[in-house]
């Protein structure tokens, strides 16, 4: 009789502040290891987009919109898409207006309870394994993941990266608000500035994207031994 435990699909959890490179890194690791990919920030952004569309402003109104929402999230690292109530908002959730308001949605407790459960369901259904990124993956969503990483970078580097990504369409004051102010707001409901016990800190300030991906792939390979 085979008494070997059935190997569990690998879960890699990556948290970090805005602009630290979580999404790019997580997609790179997922591609390299043949895993699914979950951008939990996109779920909060989709909810912020729907809240704005419906005119929901108070925490109660926002919570009602989110808990009633039908969210479809795909986990292909080469084409992650998200729809809310039947509308594909994959592109729209990156608009500056969404970036400026998403923290208001993400700091509603009932929203977090609802989205954490949905994220845990997506992770549990990822039969080939998954890389999930956000702010509370290593601490709340998947605290028992075999690979847990806090990806950090100097604030100046993070602002510069976001500015380079957004180009001239967004001025430096807006970018700084999107990065630094949003992190301050977000850190009131999730701990992503200090690594929890068992979480590996990777500082990407002076590392290329590929070097960061290499480091986390090595952590995953060591965990799989
Ligand atoms: N190590 C790195 N060196 C240089 N640029 C990087 C590095 N990692 C990511 N980038 C670039 O920085 C920008 C922001 O990266 P990304 O969107 O992955 O960050 P993030 O942490 O997911 O941000 P947010 O949480 O705000 O969505 C992208 O243009 C990305 O290509
Ligand atoms: N697990 C998560 C993921 C994201 N958020 C918040 C943080 C931001 O305000 C917003 C969008 O995230 P981003 O796309 O910038 O990574 O959602 C969170 O609270 N918890």
């Amino acid at each position: 009789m085979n008494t070997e435990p059935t190997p569990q699909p690998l879960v890699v959890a990556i948290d970090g502040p805005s602009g630290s490179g979580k999404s790019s890194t997580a997609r790179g690791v997922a591609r390299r290891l043949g895993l699914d990919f979950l951008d939990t920030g996109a779920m909060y952004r989709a909810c912020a987009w729907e809240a704005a569309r419906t005119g929901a402003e108070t925490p109660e109104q926002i919570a009602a919109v989110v808990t009633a929402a039908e969210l479809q999230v795909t986990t292909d690292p080469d084409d992650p898409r998200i729809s809310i109530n039947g509308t594909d908002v994959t592109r729209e959730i990156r608009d500056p207006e969404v970036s400026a308001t998403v923290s208001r949605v993400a700091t509603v407790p009932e929203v977090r309870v609802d989205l954490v459960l949905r994220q845990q369901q997506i992770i549990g259904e990822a039969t080939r394994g998954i890389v999930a990124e956000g702010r509370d993956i290593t601490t709340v969503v998947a605290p028992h993941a075999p690979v847990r990483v806090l990806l950090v970078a100097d604030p100046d580097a993070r602002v510069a990266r976001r500015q380079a990504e957004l180009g001239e369409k967004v001025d430096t004051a807006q970018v700084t608000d999107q990065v630094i102010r949003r992190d301050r707001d977000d850190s009131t409901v999730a701990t992503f500035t200090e690594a929890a016990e068992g979480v590996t800190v990777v500082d990407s300030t002076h590392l290329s994207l590929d070097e960061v991906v290499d480091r986390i792939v090595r952590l995953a390979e060591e965990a799989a031994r």
Side-chain angles (χ1 to χ4, degrees):
M1 182 176 75
N2 181 359
T3 57
E4 286 296 309
T6 308
Q8 293 301 310
L10 177 63
V11 177
V12 177
I14 302 175
D15 285 330
S18 181
S20 57
K22 296 181 302 304
S23 296
S24 313
T25 299
R27 288 177 69 168
V29 172
R31 286 189 187 112
R32 191 82 70 78
L33 297 177
L35 306 180
D36 285 353
F37 162 71
L38 178 62
D39 173 354
T40 59
M43 298 173 73
Y44 286 94
R45 287 172 176 269
C47 291
W49 182 88
E50 182 69 353
R53 186 188 70 82
T54 56
E57 291 191 349
T58 67
E60 296 73 19
Q61 290 169 339
I62 292 170
V65 166
V66 172
T67 52
E70 190 185 338
L71 268 177
Q72 295 88 20
V73 183
T74 69
T75 54
D76 176 356
D78 292 317
D79 186 26
R81 306 201 68 78
I82 187 164
S83 299
I84 187 162
N85 294 330
T87 303
D88 186 315
V89 293
T90 306
R91 189 192 58 74
E92 288 77 4
I93 62 172
R94 302 299 166 190
D95 289 348
E97 296 76 19
V98 174
S99 295
T101 59
V102 62
S103 293
R104 188 155 55 96
V105 171
T107 49
V108 175
E110 296 85 350
V111 166
R112 302 200 71 81
V113 170
D114 182 276
L115 292 190
V116 164
L117 286 173
R118 297 186 200 224
Q119 290 154 15
Q120 290 173 330
Q121 182 176 0
I122 293 166
I123 291 169
E125 292 170 352
T127 53
R128 68 170 177 162
I130 193 165
V131 184
E133 57 97 354
R135 302 297 193 281
D136 59 346
I137 315 304
T138 62
T139 53
V140 177
V141 178
H144 304 299
V147 182
R148 298 157 66 218
V149 173
L150 179 63
L151 185 56
V152 299
D154 289 352
D156 290 349
R158 295 191 284 118
V159 171
R161 289 172 183 173
R162 184 55 23 96
Q163 182 74 69
E165 182 183 28
L166 296 173
E168 297 313 311
K169 70 182 180 186
V170 185
D171 65 35
T172 304
Q174 274 183 296
V175 175
T176 303
D177 173 76
Q178 275 190 35
V179 174
I180 307 302
R181 188 270 308 160
R182 194 149 58 86
D183 282 340
R184 191 173 57 244
D185 294 350
D186 297 334
S187 59
T188 62
V189 290
T191 306
F192 57 86
T193 51
E194 302 281 328
E197 186 174 345
V199 174
T200 303
V201 178
V202 175
D203 187 332
S204 71
T205 306
H206 304 295
L207 295 175
S208 71
L209 177 54
D210 282 344
E211 287 170 325
V212 177
V213 170
D214 288 344
R215 284 205 183 183
I216 297 176
V217 164
R218 277 202 298 276
L219 290 173
E221 289 169 342
E222 287 161 13
R225 281 194 194 118

